[in-house]
Amino acid sequence: MKKIIILTDFKGELSLDLKNTLKKIFENYVIIENLYLNSIKENDIIDGDVILFMLENRFEKYSHHIKNKENVIIISRTIKKEVLKKLEVLPKDEPILVVNDFYETTLQLTSLLYRTKYKYLKLISYNEKEKKDLSYIKYAITPGIKEKVPKGITNIIDLGVRVLDLFTIISIANKLKLNENIKIINNILLYIDEIVFIKNGIEEHYRDLYLKNKELEGLLTNNSDGIILINDKNKILFFNKRACDFLNIPLEINQYFFKIIESNLHIENFENKKNDIIEIKGNFYYILFNQIKLYNNQYLLISLKDITELKKWKIL
């Protein structure tokens, strides 16, 4: 099974939150592991299908520990929609300090806030290395790092820990080759509704996929035959409960069950497959292979019809 490694400076709320988010989206399709930069030893080598760094400078510092650098993603983060309403109490004409753990991430948060409906706020990015007089500032915004806010500022809006943005989630799905998985696409759509992001056509693309997949999933799920859907790269995208019953496997889809299906149906190569009668664990099935085109993509639809009774009566 493929693995995502989350690299944070230390174990804390951020590392836990990121792991929970990824579990929610990618479910049991991947293994998710937390590693902490403050615990890495000199000769440690980090190997994963996706390796997440929080900042570019962290990757530069620890890149010699990474086995495959092409698997690295420098994450981008955003905030949840539900916390934005907290900003409504802030005055329009007062300076407001934006405070994050590092100046780089402070600039990122400031930029994000300026692209929301609260762009009218007078935001100032806090740089603790600069010794400026901030005594005139009464308000501050921070994503869960109140301890970084300069003393004397008592009106603090805490937005909570920042979450993975849409671009990062899609980049992870693409690297894992899970971007065509119906369940994960649906999970991404649900996640989109929770977060703040800048619209650039990605949301519309995923919503369109979501609606099409829901329609397709309904047709396949309710079919009386066992149904298995495979893309043009021979990757199993979907199978319904009936197929699981025939193959005697649980409904949850993961790589282990893909291998069971492949071994039972002998589908290493689909190019010259012919309809046939096969036996699985004492039962007989008529297996049909159909090349279909959906939404400009080519798929192979495998149907399994239970003909055990017909075989017993020697009708076939």
Side-chain angles (χ1 to χ4, degrees), residues 11-22:
K11 184 177 182 179
E13 187 179 359
L14 172 60
S15 57
L16 179 61
D17 187 74
L18 291 175
K19 186 172 186 177
N20 288 339
T21 296
L22 292 172

Side-chain angles (χ1 to χ4, degrees), residues 78-79 84 87 91-92 94-98 106-126 141 159 196-198:
T78 184
I79 56 179
L84 264 187
L87 303 181
K92 295 181 181 180
E94 290 275 356
I96 300 163
L97 200 66
V98 179
T106 297
L107 291 174
Q108 291 171 2
L109 179 57
T110 304
S111 175
L112 177 66
L113 293 174
Y114 268 133
R115 287 181 286 175
T116 69
K117 67 177 182 177
Y118 300 100
K119 56 188 175 184
Y120 59 80
L121 294 173
K122 293 184 176 181
L123 303 176
I124 299 172
S125 298
Y126 177 57
I141 298 171
L159 300 177
V196 174
F197 68 99
I198 307 307

Side-chain angles (χ1 to χ4, degrees), residues 60-100:
E60 292 171 359
K61 183 177 179 179
Y62 292 92
S63 61
H64 59 284
H65 289 284
I66 306 302
K67 184 176 181 180
N68 295 308
K69 294 179 178 60
E70 64 271 18
N71 294 343
V72 169
I73 295 175
I74 312 298
I75 72 165
S76 300
R77 288 191 282 160
T78 184
I79 56 179
K80 292 190 174 182
K81 288 179 182 177
E82 63 185 24
V83 302
L84 264 187
K85 58 186 178 183
K86 293 182 178 182
L87 303 181
E88 293 174 0
V89 301
L90 293 172
K92 295 181 181 180
D93 301 320
E94 290 275 356
I96 300 163
L97 200 66
V98 179
V99 182
N100 209 342

